Amino acid sequence: RAHLPGEGIFQCSITGLGFQVKSAVIITYRFATWTSHLSEADQEMWMPIGPLFHINAQPRVVQTVYLPHFICMAAITETHRCSIAHFKSGKMTLERPTRLTTSAAILEKPSFSLLGVLWRSLSSNIKLLPVHSLVLLFQQLSAAKTTLHLYLIPDDKSLKQAIEKQEMKWNSKVIPKPPPFQPLFFGSRYQVTSRDPVVIMPEDNLPFSYKSSKQQQFFLEIYIRNMAEEVGLLMTEKSSDTVVWRASVRQGRNRSTVTWAWCLLGTAFMKKHKIKLCSRMGQLSTILLQLREANIINSDEEEEVQGQNTKQKRNRALLELVEKKGQEAQEQLYQILQIRDEYLIKDLQKSS
């Protein structure tokens, strides 16, 4: 339930759902499941690319709704395949988004019930869709020695929430993690390996696909009999042997748990290109939101950055704030930029 105080644009930090309203309003919303509403025939033609939401709001107060999706639109030309599904009385109607951003499908003058973003999924092109994704890592506290569960999912907050609830039932603790370095592709298979003595099951690979939040998601079990000071993990795309993610886990102060060690690949990059990032870095609101979700900054610090009167000053304030917080904070910002502005990162890398 969101109590929005007046005119403005607001975004939920938990779901990614956003609203532009013209006056104060109370909006209620929750996740729904696609499989409960999308018919089998429609599932053959349409693929969900974000959560399905059940939304209630006073009519004509919400001017725009921002529905989150996980497709990397920067690499897509056929955006006409994207539609917003609207379910009423058990029937689905399709609406064209007013516009698309890297993280949301935007619909002006919406009416509410069940809303979500779909992609027309012709079999010939479904595997070519670049997908923003998440790696979720949990430690089972009641399992033998050090036992980890690793999930690879699209960046869909409803799936993330469902997995976290299941792992809590299994007495697991989440370990903070970076996302993959680049967008992934449905239908591809990814393999997790380690040079250290660990047992990873299943051994062959982890399929990357979209499953309903009501279904059990694929995961790998990683068993570490003797936890060394540091254990490295590497994820590669099997067909090309391309590294898409790497990280390490380290022994914490309490030997029953491990803590996350960032791969500090981005710290030197951020320092080297600070001046150019001040002038060229965009999508600041999204970057700040993701840093706040990762508990790197708080709401007061976000407001301080946004309070600067020029884009360059806002970017400089953010870079200096993150720099003061240390290497892990800088690495998190670097990982976010790789997803949100990958072409800027590539251009700066080429220039060096």
Side-chain angles (χ1 to χ4, degrees):
R1 179 186 294 266
H3 297 253
L4 305 184
E7 181 181 3
I9 299 176
F10 303 86
Q11 184 175 38
C12 173
S13 61
I14 297 173
T15 63
L17 187 62
F19 302 96
Q20 181 179 7
V21 300
K22 62 182 181 181
S23 63
V25 66
I26 296 175
I27 304 176
T28 59
Y29 52 95
R30 60 178 172 81
F31 289 128
T33 56
W34 284 105
T35 50
S36 299
H37 301 280
L38 203 59
S39 69
E40 290 187 11
D42 286 331
Q43 289 178 46
E44 292 292 324
M45 184 177 298
W46 296 95
M47 182 187 75
I49 59 170
L52 179 63
F53 293 96
H54 192 288
I55 305 171
N56 285 306
Q58 181 182 343
R60 294 180 292 280
V61 175
V62 179
Q63 296 174 303
T64 308
V65 61
Y66 297 75
L67 297 164
H69 67 74
F70 50 70
I71 297 298
C72 179
M73 291 297 176
I76 292 292
T77 57
E78 297 180 317
T79 55
H80 63 278
R81 296 190 184 279
C82 183
S83 293
I84 294 174
H86 194 163
F87 295 91
K88 280 187 176 180
S89 302
K91 294 183 179 180
M92 181 178 76
T93 58
L94 297 173
E95 300 182 56
R96 291 298 305 274
T98 307
R99 60 188 185 277
L100 293 169
T101 71
T102 55
S103 59
I106 300 169
L107 183 63
E108 294 179 352
K109 299 179 180 178
S111 59
F112 292 123
S113 59
L114 285 159
L115 290 175
V117 190
L118 293 174
W119 188 269
R120 190 174 178 86
S121 56
L122 299 180
S123 58
S124 59
N125 73 353
I126 192 63
K127 293 184 179 181
L128 302 178
L129 282 178
V131 175
H132 295 306
S133 57
L134 298 173
V135 174
L136 303 181
L137 193 65
F138 298 85
Q139 181 185 3
Q140 277 203 287
L141 300 179
S142 57
K145 300 296 181 180
T146 302
T147 301
L148 307 176
H149 288 170
L150 186 149
Y151 298 80
L152 180 62
I153 62 169
D155 188 0
D156 181 320
K157 300 298 190 295
S158 64
L159 300 185
K160 180 174 180 288
Q161 186 184 87
I163 291 171
E164 289 172 341
K165 286 183 177 179
Q166 178 61 67
E167 287 288 341
M168 285 178 64
K169 293 179 181 178
W170 293 342
N171 191 27
S172 298
K173 173 186 177 182
V174 65
I175 302 175
K177 63 294 168 187
F181 306 143
Q182 59 197 30
L184 306 185
F185 295 87
F186 286 135
S188 297
R189 291 182 173 270
Y190 297 87
Q191 185 168 28
V192 177
T193 57
S194 176
R195 295 180 180 178
D196 302 291
V198 303
V199 178
I200 300 176
M201 296 296 292
E203 296 178 354
D204 52 355
N205 52 60
L206 184 63
F208 182 55
S209 62
Y210 186 91
K211 299 182 71 176
S212 166
S213 59
K214 294 295 186 181
Q215 296 176 291
Q216 173 62 57
Q217 305 294 317
F218 294 119
F219 68 88
L220 295 180
E221 183 178 86
I222 303 171
Y223 175 62
I224 307 171
R225 184 183 298 275
N226 296 306
M227 183 65 196
E229 182 178 340
E230 181 174 315
V231 172
L233 299 173
L234 189 74
M235 184 184 296
T236 56
E237 199 277 319
K238 286 202 71 176
S239 63
S240 64
D241 202 32
T242 302
V243 176
V244 298
W245 178 83
R246 64 166 65 87
S248 59
V249 289
R250 289 178 180 170
Q251 186 72 48
R253 291 181 182 178
N254 180 347
R255 293 193 176 185
S256 66
T257 63
V258 294
T259 56
W260 188 261
W262 294 102
C263 308
L264 302 176
L265 303 174
T267 306
F269 175 92
M270 302 300 292
K271 184 177 181 180
K272 183 174 184 178
H273 298 289
K274 181 176 179 179
I275 294 175
K276 291 183 178 178
L277 286 169
C278 283
S279 60
R280 297 179 61 185
M281 190 166 63
Q283 302 185 53
L284 186 64
S285 296
T286 302
I287 292 169
L288 288 168
L289 174 63
Q290 290 195 251
L291 288 172
R292 188 153 53 84
E293 286 181 341
N295 294 319
I296 302 298
I297 64 173
N298 58 41
S299 57
D300 290 337
E301 291 168 329
E302 180 183 10
E303 192 172 316
E304 181 182 342
V305 171
Q306 292 281 37
Q308 304 299 314
N309 58 13
T310 67
K311 171 186 173 182
Q312 189 161 343
K313 287 182 179 180
R314 287 191 289 271
N315 285 343
R316 180 177 294 278
L318 173 60
L319 292 171
E320 290 178 351
L321 174 64
V322 171
E323 190 175 339
K324 289 178 184 177
K325 291 177 178 285
Q327 290 182 320
E328 291 188 10
Q330 291 177 74
E331 180 64 22
Q332 177 71 65
L333 176 56
Y334 174 69
Q335 297 289 351
I336 291 171
L337 286 174
Q338 280 195 314
I339 295 296
R340 296 300 178 193
D341 207 344
E342 60 176 319
Y343 292 104
L344 171 60
I345 298 298
K346 288 178 180 177
D347 189 59
L348 293 177
Q349 289 171 332
K350 287 179 183 177
S351 69
S352 61

